[in-house]
């Protein structure tokens, strides 16, 4: 009897999760690229990304890669 109740609860949780995922529907990123900035500060990175992407700007972040400091732009 406990196994049946567990299966029902699991199915309910799965259905709720699927409904939430369909309702929230994440927006796809159209482009992602890196701009070399040394040093990379978040305000400068955001400014560079907004300058390039204009209204398509979604987010920006700084990272350090094998080629130095990079600003990652998503739009």
């Amino acid at each position: 009897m406990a196994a049946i109740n567990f299966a029902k609860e699991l199915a309910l949780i799965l259905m709720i999760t699927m409904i939430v995922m369909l309702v929230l529907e994440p927006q796809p990123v159209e482009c992602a690229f890196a701009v070399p900035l040394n040093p990379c500060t978040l305000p400068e990175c955001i400014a560079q990304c907004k300058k390039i992407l204009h209204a398509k700007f979604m987010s920006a972040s700084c990272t350090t890669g094998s080629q130095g400091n990079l600003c990652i732009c998503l739009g």
Side-chain angles (χ1 to χ4, degrees):
M1 195 62 139
I4 294 172
N5 287 339
F6 178 74
K8 286 181 182 179
E9 288 178 16
L10 191 59
L12 180 63
I13 290 171
L14 181 61
M15 285 187 353
I16 291 171
T17 302
M18 289 175 59
I19 291 170
V20 168
M21 289 174 66
L22 289 173
V23 170
L24 295 180
E25 187 180 343
Q27 294 187 353
V29 173
E30 292 182 9
C31 66
F33 58 91
V35 177
L37 281 180
N38 196 9
C40 185
T41 62
L42 191 55
E44 180 64 26
C45 183
I46 291 171
Q48 288 293 322
C49 291
K50 284 184 177 181
K51 182 177 163 183
I52 296 166
L53 293 169
H54 304 288
K56 292 184 178 183
F57 170 78
M58 291 178 69
S59 69
S61 63
C62 291
T63 187
T64 303
S66 61
Q67 298 179 359
N69 294 329
L70 300 171
C71 170
I72 307 296
C73 303
L74 300 176

